[in-house]
Amino acid sequence: MNTFSDELRKEREARGITLAEIAKKTRINVKYLEAIEQGAFDVLPETYLRAFIKSYAETIGLSTSEVLYKYDLLVSKKYSEPSSAAESPTTFNMSPDTHKHIEQEKKKRHAVMIAGVLVLAALFGVALLDSISSSANNAHVEEAPFREVVKEQEQNTIPIAIDTLDTTAVATTLPAEPESLFLRVVASDSVWITIIRDSLPPRTGYLLKGRYRTYSAKNEFRFSADDASAITLYLNNVQLKPLGKKGERIRHLHITTKNLNQ
């Protein structure tokens, strides 16, 4: 037993107050009160010990600030009386029931700590597997989430006005192949498009407002868009007729050299 705990016990006994009375008023288990008076401070975490000591001091009429100050000295500066090496600080003058209860509390805390470590390890493993799975399936992202991301990025993108696009300059840079077709897709508003060139696989993407793309084919194009009014098409530098009204979808529009004569 240390000097601090011994003084607490003597003060309580001098005031004629029993541990049972303190336990009834503070609702602290009498075994914990007994452990405090015996100096067994490893029964509970530091936060609970300070709270219990404060309640103990208030109940027997001591200054809580002075008691906690002495306790801090005991912990930080080893303010205690030397004890025999053969005596365990958690069992000195303690009843068998109290000692058994303290040991059970220690085992419970150890079990909780081990369980917490296992849970954290499991969560880390799940997160790692999810990250690997997401990377492997990156090429199969659904169309709707991708559109939402692009919409957010579009707010920070400075659009290029349609009237600033130099269609003549672009046309002069295209290869002069007699039977080649060049389709220029200009977006007046952000829109999702799909284009098939001859028998090649379809190309799909989100065309931002004010941007354009140019595609080439030998014989034909198949063009689709979510909003007809958001798109203007130029075939071999010739503007094609309007595709439709706002919100109207275009599905597999067939574009060939015949469109130049319409």
Side-chain angles (χ1 to χ4, degrees):
M1 180 186 303
N2 56 64
T3 304
F4 172 78
S5 298
D6 189 47
E7 288 179 356
L8 288 181
R9 180 184 58 78
K10 289 181 180 179
E11 290 291 342
R12 175 183 62 79
E13 292 176 347
R15 288 166 169 75
I17 302 173
T18 65
L19 289 178
E21 290 173 338
I22 298 177
K24 183 177 180 180
K25 187 173 182 179
T26 62
R27 297 187 179 181
I28 299 174
N29 192 305
V30 69
K31 294 180 180 181
Y32 294 144
L33 297 175
E34 182 182 9
I36 291 173
E37 287 192 350
Q38 296 297 331
F41 295 140
D42 58 343
V43 175
L44 289 173
E46 175 70 12
T47 303
Y48 291 100
L49 273 176
R50 288 180 62 84
F52 287 176
I53 292 173
K54 181 179 179 181
S55 297
Y56 181 106
E58 288 177 343
T59 305
I60 66 175
L62 295 178
S63 170
T64 57
S65 60
E66 182 178 347
V67 170
L68 291 177
Y69 174 73
K70 290 182 178 180
Y71 172 73
D72 290 337
L73 286 178
L74 174 66
V75 174
S76 63
K77 299 182 180 180
K78 297 183 179 181
Y79 176 69
S80 61
E81 293 180 346
S83 58
S84 172
E87 294 176 341
S88 170
T90 59
T91 59
F92 185 78
N93 289 336
M94 295 175 66
S95 66
D97 289 341
T98 300
H99 175 65
K100 181 179 179 180
H101 183 76
I102 290 173
E103 292 300 322
Q104 289 176 347
E105 290 295 329
K106 289 181 179 180
K107 291 180 180 180
K108 288 180 181 180
R109 293 202 304 275
H110 292 163
V112 170
M113 291 176 62
I114 294 174
V117 172
L118 293 177
V119 170
L120 289 176
L123 291 175
F124 177 78
V126 171
L128 181 61
L129 290 176
D130 183 64
S131 176
I132 295 174
S133 177
S134 298
S135 299
N137 297 312
N138 189 48
H140 303 287
V141 179
E142 295 182 359
E143 176 178 319
F146 177 76
R147 292 187 184 183
E148 294 174 3
V149 172
V150 175
K151 281 288 188 182
E152 293 176 359
Q153 294 178 345
E154 180 186 345
Q155 297 176 0
N156 298 324
T157 302
I158 301 175
I160 301 175
I162 295 299
D163 55 9
T164 63
L165 298 178
D166 188 353
T167 56
T168 303
V170 173
T172 57
T173 61
L174 299 177
E177 298 181 11
E179 297 181 357
S180 293
L181 294 176
F182 300 96
L183 182 66
R184 190 176 191 210
V185 184
V186 182
S188 59
D189 197 0
S190 297
V191 62
W192 186 267
I193 65 172
T194 300
I195 188 165
I196 301 175
R197 302 171 296 153
D198 297 319
S199 59
L200 296 175
R203 298 185 64 180
T204 301
Y206 205 75
L207 188 56
L208 297 180
K209 178 181 179 180
R211 301 302 177 91
Y212 67 88
R213 292 177 185 171
T214 303
Y215 305 90
S216 63
K218 290 184 178 181
N219 300 309
E220 63 178 3
F221 296 98
R222 295 282 181 176
F223 181 76
S224 301
D226 283 352
D227 187 352
S229 66
I231 290 295
T232 301
L233 299 180
Y234 295 85
L235 184 61
N236 288 8
N237 202 34
V238 176
Q239 182 175 346
L240 303 183
K241 65 180 181 179
L243 302 180
K245 299 179 181 179
K246 183 174 180 61
E248 182 179 348
R249 291 188 174 185
I250 304 171
R251 288 293 178 263
H252 303 296
L253 176 63
H254 190 203
I255 303 174
T256 65
T257 52
K258 295 180 181 180
N259 295 86
L260 296 174
N261 301 323
Q262 295 179 355

